[in-house]
Structure formats: C-alpha cells, structure tokens
Amino acid sequence: MNSTDTKNDWDPDSSEVTADQVAAYDKMRNRCPVAHSESRGWSVFRHADVIQILNDPKTFSSTVSRHLSVPNGMDPPEHTRYRAIIEPYFGPERMAAFEPTCRSIAAELLDEVASHESDIEVMSELATHFAVRIQCAFLGWPTSLHEPLIQWTASHQNAVRQVDRETLATLATELETIVADLIQERVQNNAKANDDLTASLMHENVGERKLNGEEISSILRNWTVGEVGTISASIGILIHHLAEHPKHQTTLRDDSSLLPQAIDEILRVHNPLHSNRRTTTCPVTLNNRPIEAGERVDINWIAANRDETVFEAAHTVKLERDSSANLLYGAGIHVCPGAPLARMEMLVFMEELFAKTVDFHSQPKTSAVPESYPASGYSSVPIRFQFQR
C-alpha cells in the first residue's frame, strides 16, 4: 500500500486549520496523533512519536530532497562526517567572541527605530532586520547585502504563504548566486581561513579533500535561510508574548537571569519552526499506524512541544519550567548545531530591548497576524514601545 491508497485523516489546507494552525494541531494531537493527508503525507503530532522518529534515523531518513543539503539533509555515516565540521563553528569560544558584535547590532537597531517612532511593526521593522544583520556579521558578509537579503526574505515568505513554487525556485537561484559570488570573491582574493567564517569553511576538509563549492554553498544557504527565518520568527513571538503578558515582562525586567529559560519556554508554547520532514526507509508502525517504505513523514514541532502528557498545563508559559523535554532545537543526531548561536542572539536582543525600553504592549485596536503553513509565528506584530529617554 502507498500513500495514494491510504485514507486521509484530515485536510491541512482547510479553512479551520489555516485560521489557527496552532489550535488545529492541538486538536489533531488528541484526535489522530499520526494522521495522513494528501498534501503532507503523514503528520506526527505527539511528543513520544516525534522522539521515536528522532531516535531512529535509520528508519526515518533525512535525505528527503534531490538537492544537496549539508548536513541536515544527510544520514549517517555521511551526516556524521559533515556534522563534525559544522559543530565547532558554534562552540563556546566563537560564541563568546561574537557576542559583543551581536550586542552592538541589537543596540544600534533599537536606537534606529527609537529615534523616529514608538508604534512599530516588529516583523518588518525589527525582527527581520536583526536576523539579517546578525547573519551577515556572523558569516563575514558585507553590509551591502542587508537590504537585498531583507527583500529576498520578504519575497520568500510571501511565496511560501502563496505556495508559489515557480517564484520559490527563482528565489532559490537568486540566493545560490549571492552565495556563489561571495565564495568566488574569496577564491580570487586567496582568502585565508581566519579572514571570516565563510573563508574558514573554504579551508575545511571532509576526509582527505577540501569541501567543494557545492557543499560550501549548501551549508551557507541552509544557515542563512534557517537562521533568518527562525530568528525573526522567534523575536516576533517573544515580543508578542511579553506585550500580551505584562506580568511576565515585569518579572523578566526585574530578574534577567530568568531570560534564557524563559525564552526557551515561550518558544516551546509557540514554536518558531513549523515542521521538518523525514522519509521512511522501510515499513514501520508509528502509534499503531502502519506506514510503508518511501512515505513522507512530517514532524510537527508546534504540536509536539504542546503535548499535555509531557508538559503540565502545556499551553501555559511557566517561566521557570524544566526545559529538558523541550524540542525547540530538536533532539537526536540532528539536534540543531546552531542552538548556541540562536540562544545567544535572542538573549542579547532581549537584554538590549529591556535596557532601552520602559515598557511595550500591543497597539490599541490592532492584533498580531498569525503566520500560516509552512511558516510559524506571526506575519505582523504591531507593538507600542515606550523607549528610555
């Protein structure tokens, strides 16, 4: 039996789901935790089932596309070799060295918006700008790329919402060209490994050879698309939550030591990443549902991290909740290697935001606009800030 023979359990493109995908996935987790649909294949909503997938990469393969994706689109042993190259770029020494730059970027951006207005649409005026500036600084890319990447991100998000595959293909080519030009520039200038992170990647070896251009380009594309999308979504979610929950905002302003754990908890309740895909390599049973080899399986992070059987009062943010079961950064061999960078960036941004504001809350008579599949978070977060004067 293949997916065309499988009874569909739900319609993820129905108006009920698209109106509030978080609530819809909560319902699916309880009604049909492993559910089939024509458009997404198998969707997995329960924490326990997601853990089973993450801990069994042999059955649930990450090689889901014909396009090279280093290393997140690979399985062992290939994944293991490339992962060993990637991880040191997010080690403690690099994070400590980058932290002052990150703080300077956050402070400068907040000063810019504070100078001309207090009513701010967070996603377009703060979150995306921060994510793009940070990513360019981390990779050693020029500031001249800020605006092109911001425009690219906006176009990409719109094409994703519209499921415009033709535009998405064009945008993918545009980003590939940007990355290829950056690599070629360093080749022509005989860049040394310590010049910047991009140049450093060009001097890395896999086995007995250097990474080739396609591999370097894949790594940089994955980092850029993933980092900009998730960091901007995370900033929007964090600010929206604290604007809507002034007691939490006050608590964190009074005790910033709670911020790291609180950030993870807020993003557990509203995950900035929608889902990740796997493909079955053999027949398998998941929560009593038989799944054939070669089937698409979507890990729904939003639902899994709101599972009541794992998290007491799962829909409620508890700032000091134990985060050991939190799947914000995944688990298993594909746990996000960039988690230290993401955590540092969000912590620094929130520290600077608190330092430069007295208070912030939602703008009167306006509401945040939730994102829709395959994105998460919000497409618009209108906030009124009271800046320090």
Side-chain angles (χ1 to χ4, degrees):
M1 183 175 70
N2 57 39
S3 60
T4 59
D5 304 316
T6 304
K7 176 182 177 295
N8 291 320
D9 302 298
W10 70 310
D11 178 7
D13 302 312
S14 68
S15 58
E16 178 187 5
V17 175
T18 56
D20 187 344
Q21 61 177 345
V22 176
Y25 301 151
D26 283 339
K27 289 181 181 178
M28 288 303 298
R29 185 182 56 251
N30 294 309
R31 181 176 74 81
C32 188
V34 177
H36 188 271
S37 67
E38 187 171 346
S39 61
R40 296 188 203 174
W42 294 95
S43 294
V44 181
F45 301 100
R46 283 201 332 169
H47 191 281
D49 298 323
V50 168
I51 290 294
Q52 179 181 336
I53 293 170
L54 298 178
N55 288 335
D56 188 4
K58 188 173 182 180
T59 300
F60 298 95
S61 171
S62 293
T63 306
V64 298
S65 171
R66 58 186 176 86
H67 299 290
L68 180 67
S69 181
V70 181
N72 44 314
M74 294 175 165
D75 298 321
E78 189 178 35
H79 168 267
T80 308
R81 293 194 296 268
Y82 287 93
R83 178 81 182 213
I85 296 170
I86 299 300
E87 286 189 343
Y89 286 88
F90 303 98
E93 289 186 9
R94 281 187 180 267
M95 295 302 96
F98 186 59
E99 192 268 352
T101 299
C102 180
R103 190 171 296 279
S104 176
I105 290 170
E108 180 180 335
L109 178 59
L110 288 164
D111 285 341
E112 288 174 11
V113 297
S115 67
H116 63 273
E117 58 186 326
S118 60
D119 283 359
I120 294 170
E121 197 293 288
V122 167
M123 300 311 299
S124 62
E125 298 181 58
L126 267 180
T128 302
H129 284 268
F130 177 69
V132 165
R133 292 186 192 187
I134 284 292
Q135 188 64 5
C136 284
F138 184 64
L139 297 177
W141 293 1
T143 57
S144 60
L145 278 177
H146 288 174
E147 286 305 318
L149 283 174
I150 287 169
Q151 292 173 15
W152 184 94
T153 299
S155 298
H156 187 264
Q157 289 174 338
N158 186 60
V160 166
R161 292 187 199 106
Q162 302 298 323
V163 197
D164 185 345
R165 302 190 187 281
E166 183 177 348
T167 299
L168 286 171
T170 300
L171 290 168
T173 301
E174 288 180 9
L175 185 58
E176 287 174 5
T177 301
I178 290 173
V179 172
D181 289 346
L182 290 162
I183 294 172
Q184 185 58 33
E185 178 186 355
R186 284 158 177 76
V187 171
Q188 292 174 346
N189 293 331
N190 296 313
K192 297 179 175 57
N194 59 358
D195 284 355
D196 57 41
L197 188 148
T198 299
S200 183
L201 277 175
M202 295 167 60
H203 290 267
E204 292 285 2
N205 290 334
V206 55
E208 298 182 355
R209 65 167 177 84
K210 289 192 180 300
L211 290 174
N212 61 40
E214 184 184 14
E215 292 163 337
I216 296 167
S217 181
S218 173
I219 293 169
L220 292 172
R221 288 197 315 273
N222 286 340
W223 284 356
T224 302
V225 175
E227 182 78 1
V228 170
T230 54
I231 290 298
S232 59
S234 296
I235 294 298
I237 292 166
L238 292 169
I239 291 177
H240 177 262
H241 176 83
L242 294 176
E244 293 288 306
H245 296 82
K247 288 185 178 180
H248 284 174
Q249 185 180 155
T250 299
T251 297
L252 295 176
R253 285 182 182 277
D254 292 342
D255 186 359
S256 61
S257 69
L258 297 174
L259 264 173
Q261 198 164 341
I263 289 170
D264 279 9
E265 168 67 358
I266 293 169
L267 298 179
R268 176 194 66 78
V269 173
H270 194 155
N271 202 297
L273 183 63
H274 183 283
S275 58
N276 278 132
R277 182 179 167 188
R278 298 290 192 271
T279 300
T280 52
T281 62
C282 60
V284 64
T285 298
L286 193 63
N287 197 20
N288 299 318
R289 299 299 299 270
I291 303 174
E292 294 299 311
E295 293 283 332
R296 170 178 174 166
V297 177
D298 262 19
I299 298 169
N300 191 299
W301 301 114
I302 295 172
N305 246 353
R306 293 164 59 89
D307 191 331
E308 303 91 337
T309 65
V310 177
F311 306 99
E312 182 184 0
H315 303 175
T316 302
V317 169
K318 296 185 176 183
L319 297 182
E320 299 184 65
R321 189 192 296 269
D322 177 13
S323 63
S324 58
N326 192 335
L327 294 174
L328 177 59
Y329 296 102
I333 65 168
H334 286 284
V335 66
C336 179
L341 176 64
R343 283 192 165 109
M344 185 268 286
E345 290 173 349
M346 288 186 286
L347 175 61
V348 164
F349 182 89
M350 294 308 299
E351 287 175 343
E352 291 300 311
L353 179 63
F354 283 165
K356 292 182 178 294
T357 61
V358 176
D359 179 47
F360 54 86
H361 53 268
S362 297
Q363 293 179 25
K365 300 181 181 179
T366 60
S367 300
V369 179
E371 271 288 11
S372 56
Y373 176 83
S376 184
Y378 301 95
S379 61
S380 175
V381 182
I383 297 293
R384 178 162 293 175
F385 291 91
Q386 183 181 354
F387 289 100
Q388 298 276 8
R389 300 298 182 190

